Amino acid sequence: MTADPCADAPIACSLDAGALGERIEEWRALVASSVVSVDAEPTAVHLVLDPSDAALVAAVGLAQREKQCCPFFGVAVDIGAESRTLSLCVPDGAEEVLATFVAALRS
């Protein structure tokens, strides 16, 4: 049994306002160039990637950097026969943070 990837970390981001704006733009660029669909739930968002290896590498690299500044995000990649999905989850109590993140992706 594995531990919940979204638990046991403070709900805080270490980026300053300028770096946060740049990071949001990186996520928007990834969504625009490499994401087929965005499926949001209260505590998780699933980004279905286009089938290219470049999309997978870009998504994983960005997710890893996100995890460094926001350790409360759980990150998972699902490689299926027909699709690749990057999922980010947050612990209970961080639903508003995730909703803001998803809104930024879609704007």
Side-chain angles (χ1 to χ4, degrees):
M1 179 188 250
T2 61
D4 180 354
C6 302
D8 299 328
I11 300 170
C13 179
S14 64
L15 296 178
D16 64 25
L20 180 60
E22 291 173 10
R23 180 63 56 81
I24 290 168
E25 289 306 315
E26 286 183 82
W27 279 107
R28 287 180 180 154
L30 177 75
V31 169
S33 68
S34 302
V35 174
V36 175
S37 67
V38 177
D39 179 30
E41 301 169 6
T43 59
V45 61
H46 310 283
L47 307 176
V48 179
L49 305 173
D50 77 34
S52 73
D53 290 345
L56 180 63
V57 170
V60 168
L62 184 54
Q64 184 177 27
R65 288 186 288 123
E66 192 66 34
K67 182 76 174 164
Q68 290 170 345
C69 66
C70 296
F72 65 95
F73 271 90
V75 178
V77 176
D78 180 54
I79 308 292
E82 301 296 323
S83 66
R84 299 168 176 182
T85 303
L86 172 69
S87 298
L88 301 169
C89 66
V90 296
D92 290 337
E95 293 89 350
E96 187 174 330
V97 172
L98 186 65
T100 300
F101 177 78
V102 171
L105 293 179
R106 293 180 168 161
S107 63

